[in-house]
Amino acid sequence: MEIIIGKTAGFCYGVKRAVDGAIEESKKNKKTYCLGELVHNKEVIEDLKNKGIEIIEDINEVNDKNLKVILRAHGVEKNIYEKAKINNIELVDYTCPNVLKIHKIAEEYANKGYYIILTGAEKHPEVIGIKSYCGKNFSLIEKEDDVYKAIEKFENSQIKKILIISQTTYSVAKFENITKIIKEKISENLVIKNTICLATETRQKETEKLSKQVELMIIIGGKNSSNTKKLYEIAKQNCHNSISVENGKEAEETLKNMDLSIIEKVGIMAGASTPKESIDEVIKVWHLFK
């Protein structure tokens, strides 16, 4: 049996920056808060907690103004910065630079009077943050079926200019299809900015290519990780035997219930918030089965 590990598997730049930075903060301070989960990976979060970083869901939970608050890689709503300033809370901002760029674009075009269409998952923290910069005139498209409602809402708004942006980890194929539909309906004063990050795009392309070459695809990453879910969806389209696991233990439980006799090649890909340790664990487990 041959095992092929994706070259882009594991931490992207933004996640590595956030995790390394949070660990450094934990060394400087006995206790540090993080507003929301720094990244969407259970193992990473548990490690940070063990290093003294406490996860909070509301900045109002900070009672000691001498403690620092880390902002997660997914970013936060605009009013968080305002609340922190009013309450003299020091923020350590590890929002991914790609997400911060989207915040600036959304705010700039909202101020110019554009109607904004954002593609992404409604309940994802990155999308919640981006929405706060879009002003009142915007629509969110999560599924491709939502595009027609968004177009109707734009047309009823009487606004003449429109901007399309995306969550950094959204499906490249879905974004391209959505923009194609919108361009067919709206041809004037339309600005499209593909804000899906390069790390997401390259992972999705590599997963698509790899999943066509193997009999089994193993996608490694957190169950609440948007980019990991997209990789699994792509893998499943091309390889019937595709599984999504968080770590070695889950991989072992899943693989022992599968018929592996027909597997000659296995591909492994991991989400952008998956640590190397988790990838190594799964590879070690696979060697026990082959």
Side-chain angles (χ1 to χ4, degrees):
M1 293 183 189
E2 181 184 358
I3 183 169
I4 306 172
I5 304 164
K7 293 178 182 178
T8 57
F11 279 0
C12 66
Y13 163 75
V15 169
K16 187 177 187 306
R17 170 180 173 270
V19 172
D20 289 348
I23 291 172
E24 284 303 310
E25 287 299 327
S26 71
K27 292 176 181 177
K28 297 176 191 174
N29 305 283
K30 289 183 180 180
K31 190 172 184 180
T32 304
Y33 290 120
C34 182
L35 187 57
E37 291 187 345
L38 185 73
V39 296
H40 281 160
N41 186 277
K42 193 186 299 181
E43 276 74 21
V44 172
I45 297 304
E46 285 304 313
D47 182 56
L48 293 175
K49 286 180 179 178
N50 291 334
K51 287 179 168 60
I53 295 177
E54 182 179 338
I55 309 297
I56 58 172
E57 297 302 327
D58 189 333
I59 200 164
N60 293 320
E61 293 179 45
V62 182
N63 298 315
D64 188 343
K65 308 307 180 187
N66 295 318
L67 294 179
K68 293 182 180 180
V69 176
I70 295 171
L71 299 186
R72 61 196 174 205
H74 301 111
V76 295
E77 293 173 273
K78 186 178 180 180
N79 64 5
I80 296 299
Y81 294 96
E82 296 163 0
K83 285 183 179 179
K85 188 175 182 180
I86 291 170
N87 294 309
N88 295 315
I89 297 171
E90 183 179 354
L91 298 178
V92 184
D93 197 348
Y94 283 116
T95 303
C96 173
N98 290 319
V99 176
L100 288 174
K101 183 180 177 181
I102 299 173
H103 290 178
K104 289 179 181 178
I105 292 171
E107 187 169 43
E108 177 190 346
Y109 278 80
N111 290 338
K112 288 179 179 179
Y114 276 73
Y115 189 96
I116 297 175
I117 287 181
L118 168 64
T119 63
E122 184 176 9
K123 295 181 180 180
H124 194 281
E126 180 188 328
V127 170
I128 293 170
I130 295 170
K131 282 165 58 179
S132 69
Y133 289 86
C134 290
K136 295 179 180 179
N137 298 304
F138 78 94
S139 290
L140 175 67
I141 296 177
E142 183 164 0
K143 304 184 295 293
E144 289 162 280
D145 291 344
D146 298 333
V147 67
Y148 299 103
K149 287 182 180 179
I151 292 172
E152 183 181 359
K153 190 176 175 184
F154 162 68
E155 291 174 339
N156 290 336
S157 72
Q158 303 301 311
I159 297 172
K160 303 300 182 183
K161 301 179 290 186
I162 186 168
L163 167 73
I164 306 174
I165 54 177
S166 178
Q167 177 183 352
T168 58
T169 56
Y170 196 66
S171 164
V172 174
K174 288 181 180 179
F175 182 78
E176 289 176 348
N177 189 43
I178 287 167
T179 54
K180 180 182 177 182
I181 295 170
I182 293 173
K183 282 192 287 186
E184 289 172 353
K185 299 285 185 180
I186 304 165
S187 58
E188 295 182 357
N189 298 317
L190 172 63
V191 178
I192 300 172
K193 290 187 179 290
N194 183 349
T195 51
I196 298 172
C197 78
L198 183 60
T200 295
E201 189 170 350
T202 53
R203 276 171 175 76
Q204 289 182 12
K205 287 181 178 178
E206 186 177 17
T207 300
E208 182 178 16
K209 183 179 179 180
L210 182 56
S211 60
K212 293 176 180 178
Q213 301 171 354
V214 299
E215 289 79 41
L216 171 64
M217 274 295 292
I218 304 176
I219 307 297
I220 311 167
K223 290 290 188 288
N224 56 344
S225 166
S226 174
N227 72 88
T228 299
K229 287 178 183 177
K230 301 297 186 300
L231 297 183
Y232 176 67
E233 288 171 5
I234 292 168
K236 196 72 176 173
Q237 288 174 0
N238 302 298
C239 179
H240 176 71
N241 291 314
S242 293
I243 62 173
S244 179
V245 299
E246 287 194 337
N247 48 44
K249 183 179 180 182
E250 190 176 349
E252 185 174 0
E253 289 297 315
T254 305
L255 290 171
K256 73 180 182 181
N257 294 315
M258 295 179 67
D259 178 11
L260 303 177
S261 61
I262 59 171
I263 307 299
E264 293 184 5
K265 288 184 180 180
V266 58
I268 291 182
M269 181 55 77
S273 53
T274 306
K276 184 177 182 298
E277 291 78 8
S278 295
I279 300 171
D280 291 341
E281 279 180 20
V282 173
I283 294 170
K284 186 177 179 180
V285 166
W286 172 254
H287 285 305
L288 297 175
F289 283 89
K290 74 172 188 176

